[in-house]
Amino acid sequence: MNNYAQSLVERLESRTEPKSLFIQAVKEVFESLDPIISENPDIEAYSILERISEPERQVMFRVCWTDDNGKVQVNRGYRVGFSSVLGPYKGGLRFHPTVRLDVIKFLAFEQIFKNSLTGLSIGGGKGGSDFNPKGKSDGEIMRFCQAFMSELYHFLGENTDVPAGDIGVGSREIGYLFGQYKRLTKRFEQGVLTGKQVGLGGSLVRKEATGFGAVYFAQEMLKKKKDSLQDKVCVVSGSGNVALYCAKKLKDLGAKVVAMSDSSGSIHDPNGVDLDLVRSIKEVERGRIDSYTVRRHGSKFFPEKKVWQFKCDLAFPCATQNELNQEDLETLIENGCKGVVEGANMPTTPEAVHVLQEKDMLFAPGKAANAGGVAVSALEMQQNASLQSWSFREVDKRLQEIMASIHDDCVHFAEKYHRPNNYVFGANVAGFLRVADAVKAYGVI
Ligand code: NDP
């Protein structure tokens, strides 16, 4: 890594917790920037890396709510506004017991470059809480969302900060959050949250966008190699929003998904996973994935095992960060896997990414491959602002165009700097340059 970038990483490390996910994300971006920093002395002269790696603002707050037994519960809420140079802070809210400031900072940092890659006017932010939605009643979810929004609403606005969903936050939670925002502000400010239900100003295809977008990205990568998804055997980790719609689009395009998972373990179905059944278990019943095998002959459940143990051509990590490590990757390679496409944020560990690159395998980093979700969120903001509602076909077409354009930008920068097939490099450089230009253009603010 370039000396300037390295000394900054060391300074950030000295102020951050050990094994920080934020530092992992920063290193991954900075490692790609060597040639850019060398040919552009302004980056150091204007302290661009320092300004990009320090959040503009971080809010932490207490969230008090009452459970069904009348007991007062206390959680911690976060919102990090990392960069607003390209537009209002934009990025989801995560409700999961593992959430802490470092997790939100890493997600918000990644979001800056992802949002830049879309070419749309959106800055980078992220938020969430250590609240665990699992096993909570609908009333408890609503009361938590209301309490969370009561603390957060001061900081939001359709031109300031626009949250959406992430792990544990879907259209139900967005509905409760929007309702409380409307109650507190007395404003029907539709564009302040995205991922709303379609009848409440949400965009068609938003629900599907991240998963569909990852598959469109994979399709572009394969097309470049004169290949396609037809008959490819795939494994998809997770069974939430991203995983479900990634699996659906894979199936639509002729691939076969043989394994999915949740945090309790994996299911393997050699005949192809029945996605309607998984959706019904996870979205309607809010149940556990092991119940799939009771209803589907020929499938098996493997408690606490990951999907990477199953033979496949392509792997799609769509659950959470650092879920695919070097050992998992070696198993995948032994079983003939040819590539990894990230639907989740930073799901592949740096060691595993290194092996993928050494072996020149297909690898689509999340900040490019999963940008479809935020891209359609920005399209939702556009529809809200113009009081329009576009058709499924129209939004899906725009999503495909955006994913193809992100793919081409990655390829362009990877080839320009003689790193063909290195989508990590291409995505980091393409995302960074747009942000760096804006930071410089605004002067010292
Ligand atoms: P969901 O909450 O809908 O689903 C998450 C899935 O991952 C569930 O199956 C969950 O299992 C599993 N999971 C979560 N945490 C863990 C863990 N620690 N170990 C094992 N499995 C886990 O979330 P999303 O689908 O929305 O998000 C998935 C990933 O995609 C995240 O990395 C998110 O940041 C990223 N992403 C999401 C976008 C979106 O539009 N929603 C946009 C871009 C990126 P269980 O049900 O057992 O908890």
Side-chain angles (χ1 to χ4, degrees), residues 94 96 107 114 126 134 165-168 206 210 238-243 261-264 282 288 318-321 343-345 370 373:
R94 176 176 292 191
H96 194 271
L107 290 165
K114 181 188 312 192
K126 202 86 186 187
K134 259 189 218 125
D166 190 80
I167 292 177
R206 175 60 191 89
T210 309
S239 46
N241 173 266
V242 179
S261 61
D262 67 14
S263 55
S264 65
K282 298 302 288 186
R288 311 305 295 151
C318 293
T320 194
Q321 63 271 4
N345 282 311
N370 73 28

Side-chain angles (χ1 to χ4, degrees), residues 364-405:
K367 67 168 72 72
N370 73 28
V374 76
V376 173
S377 273
L379 300 182
E380 182 174 329
M381 290 160 75
Q382 286 181 24
Q383 292 170 75
N384 292 159
S386 59
L387 304 177
Q388 287 181 356
S389 173
W390 303 336
S391 68
F392 192 96
R393 186 200 283 253
E394 170 70 22
V395 182
D396 193 35
K397 183 167 156 280
R398 289 188 191 221
L399 171 63
Q400 289 183 52
E401 287 165 359
I402 292 169
M403 296 315 295
S405 153

